[in-house]
């Protein structure tokens, strides 16, 4: 890169945001300046945001929690770094002109800022899979109309992006799953696992919501839907394989029976660097892949009896008309309930399935939602239905709702 790439990081204090800043630090540690930071945006961790801002010197620091604005101003006093707070400020930060916006706000809450970045003509490196799952058709239509690239950051989709060379010759796609902490656990034992056990991922270091999604394979269900949208691929031409070593991240199968795969150590800084720098590449602090040291790579089919999430994703894609949005909203509600002790681990998939079945037969499933307002209605009603199912679980387990 001849001139520094100017980036904005949405969700800078989360796992992906911190990893992105590590990539930027390393890239800028040599003689060339590869990146400049325009804005850092965080939810409520004002101390971490202020520390990042003082170190990385963005033009603007934004905290979504308006009550933290004065604390942010106090920490950044005399730094010449602009301060702002609130949801409007978050959207304005995403729309500021820059070379790439990293969308890493967790959950469906990340969709409005991702859409704001696209509407402003900013290229997006998307780590927020829920934005695509909840609003894929709307978001991709807006990006196409403005000729704005959306570059996947999830390791599986970034892998496929790197080997997706000839769309008309691709027959199918494969994304991989580590299997999470319960890959070898019996169905009976899974009834009794705790949120602490579910968040203890054996390979990846993620936040609690993504870790629990990984344990249930719901993260792979969301990534399945994301792959279908991003690569315009029918659900029956996408497969999921359990790959405990997490070295092969994604594959594209071609009609001549060639299979192109992307490999790398399980470190999110690799796909982050690729998405931030594309079409260029920079050196990262990630360790080099040593296949001789690893010795063997193994693959196995998903056990849909213990992990029904992939089948739920297929059903949502087939149903369309906002069903993926309902699936994502129900999952967010169910995971929150699990963390709060309102339901068991296996209840997560049951709540999602019950919500999805209800939604497909409801008056809300009339057409593909193409506005934030339509998506908001589906989100609200799916969370309401999921809440009813959570309360039923809590009552059956003797827990006060």
């Amino acid at each position: 890169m001849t001139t520094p790439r100017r980036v904005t990081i949405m969700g800078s204090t989360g796992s992906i945001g911190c990893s992105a800043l590590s990539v930027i630090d390393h890239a800028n540690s040599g003689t060339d300046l590869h990146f400049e930071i325009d804005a850092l945006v965080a939810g409520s961790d004002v101390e971490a945001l202020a520390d990042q801002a003082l170190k990385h010197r963005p033009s603007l620091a934004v905290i979504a929690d308006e009550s933290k604005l004065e604390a942010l101003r106090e920490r950044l006093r005399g730094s010449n770094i602009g301060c702002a707070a609130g949801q409007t400020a978050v959207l304005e930060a995403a729309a500021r002109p820059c070379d790439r916006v990293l969308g890493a706000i967790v959950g469906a809450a990340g969709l409005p800022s991702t859409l704001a970045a696209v509407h402003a003509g900013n290229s997006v490196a998307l780590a927020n899979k829920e934005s695509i799952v909840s609003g894929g058709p709307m978001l991709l239509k807006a990006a196409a109309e403005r000729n704005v690239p959306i570059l996947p950051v999830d390791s599986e989709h970034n892998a496929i992006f790197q080997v997706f060379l000839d769309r008309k010759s691709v027959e199918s796609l494969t994304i991989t799953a580590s299997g999470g902490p319960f890959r070898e656990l019996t169905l009976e034992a899974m009834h009794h696992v705790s949120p602490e056990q579910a968040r203890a991922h054996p390979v990846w270091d993620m936040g609690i919501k993504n870790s629990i999604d990984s344990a249930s394979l719901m993260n792979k269900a969301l990534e399945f839907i994301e792959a279908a949208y991003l690569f315009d691929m029918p659900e029956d031409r996408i497969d999921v394989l359990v790959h405990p070593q997490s070295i092969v991240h994604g594959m594209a199968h071609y009609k001549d029976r060639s299979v192109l795969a992307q490999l790398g150590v399980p470190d999110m800084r690799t796909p982050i660097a690729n998405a931030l720098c594309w079409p260029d590449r920079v050196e990262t602090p990630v360790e080099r892949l040593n296949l001789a040291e690893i010795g063997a790579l193994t693959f196995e089919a998903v056990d849909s009896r213990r992990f029904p999430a992939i089948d739920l994703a297929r059903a949502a894609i087939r149903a369309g008309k906002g069903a993926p949005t309902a699936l994502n909203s129900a999952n967010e509600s169910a995971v929150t309930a699990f963390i709060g002790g309102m339901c068991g681990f296996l209840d997560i998939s049951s709540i999602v399935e019950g919500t999805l079945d209800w939604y497909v037969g409801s008056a809300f499933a009339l057409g593909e939602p193409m506005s934030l307002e339509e998506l908001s209605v589906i989100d609200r009603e799916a969370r309401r239905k999921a809440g009813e199912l959570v309360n039923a679980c809590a009552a059956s387990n003797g827990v006060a709702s």
Side-chain angles (χ1 to χ4, degrees), residues 26 29 63 66 72 100 120 176 182 207 239 241 361:
H26 189 85
S29 63
I63 192 84
E66 291 187 77
L72 181 63
R100 193 141 299 157
T176 60
F182 307 141
D239 193 18
L241 285 177

Side-chain angles (χ1 to χ4, degrees), residues 378-401:
I378 296 171
D379 177 74
R380 182 185 68 242
E381 294 303 319
R383 289 177 192 272
R384 181 189 60 76
K385 180 62 180 179
E388 292 177 1
L389 298 174
V390 166
N391 288 337
C393 286
S396 67
N397 294 329
V399 178
S401 61

Side-chain angles (χ1 to χ4, degrees), residues 333-347:
S333 297
V335 169
T336 299
F338 173 58
I339 294 170
M342 296 286 290
C343 70
F345 177 72
L346 292 180
D347 291 326

Side-chain angles (χ1 to χ4, degrees), residues 108 149 218 247 391:
M218 192 60 74
I247 298 299
N391 288 337

Side-chain angles (χ1 to χ4, degrees), residues 42-122:
S44 60
D45 191 344
V46 69
E47 296 296 322
L49 175 61
D51 288 343
Q52 289 178 339
L54 290 171
K55 178 179 179 180
H56 297 282
R57 314 302 296 187
S59 299
L60 176 68
V62 177
I63 192 84
D65 185 344
E66 291 187 77
S67 69
K68 304 289 182 68
L69 178 58
E70 285 308 313
L72 181 63
R73 283 175 172 161
E74 182 60 32
R75 284 291 310 275
L76 298 184
R77 193 177 305 280
S79 67
N80 292 321
I81 298 171
C83 299
Q87 291 303 316
T88 298
V90 170
L91 300 182
E92 289 173 348
R96 287 166 62 95
C98 67
D99 295 306
R100 193 141 299 157
V101 173
L102 175 62
I105 296 174
V106 175
L111 176 57
S113 58
T114 302
L115 191 62
V118 168
H119 282 157
N122 288 330

